Amino acid sequence: SLFLLLLVMSIWAVIAVEVINPKVQDLAAAGYWEGCDRCRRSFSSTFDANLTFFQTVVAGDSWGTIAVPVIEAHPETACVFIGSLMTLVFGVLNLIVAVIV
């Protein structure tokens, strides 16, 4: 089950590096995240994107720090964030709970 979670999250991470990272870099260059060192590199690699997705989607923490500002500036990125939320939380994690229970 952990392998399935990491596999699905890594697929979304690769998509995020290609789609979201250029938009995050544009926002960071515009000075959007002055006090956040990690925000600029949140989707710069597959590892960083996996860490960001784990933090925001699986743990449910810091949606307002990275995801919401990116979605407000570039609404098309909502497809990646909402797609990852739907498949990870409502798909994989519920499947894991169903197998355990």
Side-chain angles (χ1 to χ4, degrees), residues 1 12-13 17 22 29-30 37 41-42 49 54 68 74 78-79 94 98:
S1 61
W12 281 111
V17 168
D37 294 334
R41 58 184 171 83
S42 59
F54 187 83
V68 173
H74 303 283
C79 295
N94 278 337

Side-chain angles (χ1 to χ4, degrees), residues 55-68:
Q55 178 184 5
T56 57
V57 175
V58 177
D61 185 28
S62 297
W63 271 96
T65 305
I66 297 170
V68 173

Side-chain angles (χ1 to χ4, degrees), residues 53-92:
F53 277 135
F54 187 83
Q55 178 184 5
T56 57
V57 175
V58 177
D61 185 28
S62 297
W63 271 96
T65 305
I66 297 170
V68 173
V70 173
I71 291 171
E72 286 177 345
H74 303 283
E76 68 275 7
T77 59
C79 295
V80 176
F81 286 112
I82 292 172
S84 64
L85 176 75
M86 295 299 223
T87 56
L88 289 170
V89 172
F90 299 126
V92 176

Side-chain angles (χ1 to χ4, degrees), residues 28 33-42 44 65-66:
W33 293 292
E34 289 296 325
C36 181
D37 294 334
R38 191 184 180 295
C39 295
R40 179 180 199 89
R41 58 184 171 83
S42 59
S44 61
T65 305
I66 297 170

